Amino acid sequence: MKRITKLIIALFLVAFTASTVVAAQGNPKKGKFLYKKNCKTCHVKDGDGAELTPVSKTQNQWTRFFEKDKHKKNPESFNNLSEKDIRDIQQFLIDHAADSASPQLCG
């Protein structure tokens, strides 16, 4: 009986940990929408910011951008986004970076 209880607890912990890890990642589909809505308005040819698409950086460069840089030139642009929105955008950019399995320009 104790063995079954321990097994059930172990399975519960594995399931809980797995769901937590997935929740920590962003939603790339929502990220694409948010990127087009919030980022693409400035990051286009002749826009206020430099032209920028997911393939403008590698996966590591995007990760570093969100960990350290965080839009240094205009940090206020992140103020209207929730942490989840930022994770979603980050996930989209990383999933479609220049060195990803499916690079994308975000048309």
Side-chain angles (χ1 to χ4, degrees), residues 24-40:
Q25 293 180 346
N27 178 336
K29 288 183 181 181
K30 185 175 177 195
K32 181 175 184 175
F33 169 79
L34 292 167
Y35 176 83
K36 285 182 171 185
K37 180 181 173 192
N38 296 287
C39 307
K40 192 93 169 150

Side-chain angles (χ1 to χ4, degrees), residues 9-70:
I9 291 171
L11 289 173
F12 174 77
L13 290 174
V14 168
F16 177 75
T17 304
S19 67
T20 303
V21 170
V22 170
Q25 293 180 346
N27 178 336
K29 288 183 181 181
K30 185 175 177 195
K32 181 175 184 175
F33 169 79
L34 292 167
Y35 176 83
K36 285 182 171 185
K37 180 181 173 192
N38 296 287
C39 307
K40 192 93 169 150
T41 56
C42 291
H43 290 290
V44 293
K45 191 173 184 175
D46 300 326
D48 291 340
E51 190 172 5
L52 196 62
T53 67
V55 297
S56 299
K57 297 182 185 292
T58 64
Q59 293 174 326
N60 284 336
Q61 288 172 323
W62 281 120
T63 299
R64 203 167 33 253
F65 172 83
F66 283 93
E67 286 176 357
K68 296 181 181 178
D69 185 34
K70 294 193 179 180

Side-chain angles (χ1 to χ4, degrees), residues 5 23-24 38 47 49 55 57 60 64 66 70-71 78 86-87 89-90 92 101 104:
T5 304
N38 296 287
V55 297
K57 297 182 185 292
N60 284 336
R64 203 167 33 253
F66 283 93
K70 294 193 179 180
H71 219 281
F78 275 23
I86 293 170
R87 276 195 319 271
I89 292 169
Q90 179 182 7
F92 164 67
Q104 193 174 95

